[in-house]
Amino acid sequence: MLSIRELRDRAVIRPIKRAVEDQLLDLPGVTGVDIGARTRAGSRLREQVIVVSVARKRPREVLGRDGCVPAELFGIPTDVVEEQALLQHIHRSSEEPLRWPTRTIGSDGAPGCPLRAVRGGSGLAPCRSVRLEAGEYRRIGTLGVLVAGDSAEPMGLTTFDVGCLDDAWSVGDRMAEPESGQVHAELARAALSGRVDAAAVRVVPGLTASPEVGRLGPVTGHARACPGEPVRKHGFGTGLTDGVVTSVDATIRVDHGAALGVRVLREQIRITTDRPHFCGPGDAGAAVVDPSGRLLGLHVAGAEGGVVGYATPIGDVLSELDVRLHPRFQSLGV
């Protein structure tokens, strides 16, 4: 956990970081602005600074005076690191047909067992395909967690890039479970703003919706993330992994492709791990929870290699999409 002094230093830096981050994001190659510990030769120091991420470090003489990150801003030192947030969906050929869910029929003609319950941590793929150089493909991410709107009908959360694909989306777009190929949800609402990258999909009526999230088990409520806090997530791509929250102040530039362009997401949760990876392709939309099972955020992006992940705070997601954790949860948290 961060020390009291480190937390106080971050509180002092926060308004300065917010005031200068647009100026920094305009510099060539800058991919993000955050608050964190200064690093030297791979070692983490206690000093809290404004951390500027770039796609690739380049010599000062190449960038020129106006293209360099200042050594300090309003008395706050800066640190430059190589890091870039990338969307974490995957693509599969769209040749395999998708179908509406059905119930199996026994040998005696009686209805058999229903389909497996729709639950968090499973895969999610819009039926509408995207055109890539090699042909038509479906985009696959993760259905993160069960939520509900005013009518209490079950919906699942994912990211905008998974649920909507591009700017041609519309309410009612069909969603499928990529393993079975069966359609089990429809797009209900979505938001791509300065703080939120998310979508909600409505579970097809008649299907069972489970409040459990993969190997994480049931979600017990929701809360705000805190730097130094251990977390876990279960995504379609990499399954169950764990990490540590290193910041709740990350501002990142994310490329959403030709239709939507580069978007800036502010005050995201940054998560790191000392394991081989925390996240990977296919994990977009995964629920991030604390040790008590409370939902903290929705995984939206990760750095190459998967050691660093970014999540949108769940409070912002619930507010902007106008949804809440499903009533089947025992507690709605804070």
Side-chain angles (χ1 to χ4, degrees):
M1 296 293 288
L2 270 64
S3 67
I4 297 297
R5 178 178 178 179
E6 288 173 307
L7 292 173
R8 287 175 178 170
D9 288 346
R10 286 181 178 229
V12 171
I13 296 172
R14 189 166 291 122
I16 298 173
K17 176 257 182 187
R18 290 172 178 168
V20 302
E21 63 185 6
D22 285 340
Q23 168 192 338
L24 293 169
L25 289 170
D26 284 341
L27 295 176
V30 171
T31 58
V33 183
D34 200 356
I35 302 172
R38 184 191 291 274
T39 57
R40 282 292 178 268
S43 297
R44 177 183 178 276
L45 308 180
R46 289 286 185 179
E47 182 185 12
Q48 300 297 299
V49 298
I50 295 174
V51 180
V52 182
S53 300
V54 296
R56 182 172 60 87
K57 289 186 178 181
R58 292 188 289 175
R60 286 183 172 271
E61 55 270 22
V62 173
L63 292 170
R65 182 177 178 181
D66 294 336
C68 292
V69 175
E72 65 174 46
L73 291 159
F74 297 99
I76 304 299
T78 63
D79 198 16
V80 179
V81 300
E82 286 188 351
E83 189 171 291
Q84 185 170 9
L86 305 171
L87 294 176
Q88 296 210 296
H89 51 253
I90 55 179
H91 289 106
R92 286 185 184 170
S93 172
S94 60
E95 294 178 359
E96 190 70 25
L98 301 176
R99 52 199 181 275
W100 281 101
T102 58
R103 291 177 179 268
T104 58
I105 304 298
S107 58
D108 58 355
C113 297
L115 291 172
R116 184 177 55 186
V118 179
R119 70 180 64 224
S122 60
L124 184 73
C127 297
R128 185 165 63 91
S129 61
V130 293
R131 180 75 182 176
L132 302 178
E133 290 184 2
E136 295 290 327
Y137 285 80
R138 287 201 174 87
R139 182 170 294 173
I140 302 174
T142 299
L143 187 150
V145 68
L146 195 69
V147 295
D150 293 338
S151 63
E153 59 186 352
M155 293 189 284
L157 291 180
T158 190
T159 60
F160 184 96
D161 68 285
V162 171
C164 300
L165 299 178
D166 51 34
D167 59 352
W169 66 277
S170 62
V171 171
D173 284 349
R174 295 179 177 182
M175 306 285 152
E177 200 282 317
E179 300 284 70
S180 67
Q182 291 187 316
V183 177
H184 63 357
E186 296 178 338
L187 184 61
R189 55 193 72 172
L192 182 59
S193 65
R195 293 174 62 92
V196 172
D197 178 334
V201 299
R202 183 180 298 108
V203 177
V204 171
L207 291 183
T208 302
S210 169
E212 296 199 354
V213 179
R215 292 168 60 192
L216 295 174
V219 172
T220 60
H222 65 90
R224 293 181 180 179
C226 297
E229 184 175 23
V231 296
R232 297 186 298 161
K233 76 104 188 73
H234 189 282
F236 177 74
T238 62
L240 179 65
T241 59
D242 57 76
V244 176
V245 174
T246 55
S247 176
V248 293
D249 297 286
T251 293
I252 54 176
R253 291 168 57 94
V254 185
D255 189 351
H256 283 265
L260 298 170
V262 176
R263 300 298 183 98
V264 175
L265 279 173
R266 303 179 192 274
E267 298 179 26
Q268 303 295 288
I269 304 167
R270 183 178 186 270
I271 301 161
T272 63
T273 185
D274 55 5
R275 306 291 179 87
H277 59 262
F278 173 73
C279 55
D283 285 340
V288 177
V289 304
D290 68 10
S292 299
R294 295 180 301 176
L295 187 61
L296 302 180
L298 200 66
H299 177 70
V300 294
E304 187 174 358
V307 175
V308 177
Y310 295 94
T312 297
I314 195 60
D316 293 337
V317 173
L318 298 177
S319 175
E320 195 143 342
L321 292 181
D322 192 23
V323 295
R324 64 189 188 282
L325 292 185
H326 198 271
R328 290 177 65 183
F329 292 123
Q330 293 183 351
S331 169
L332 292 184
V334 295

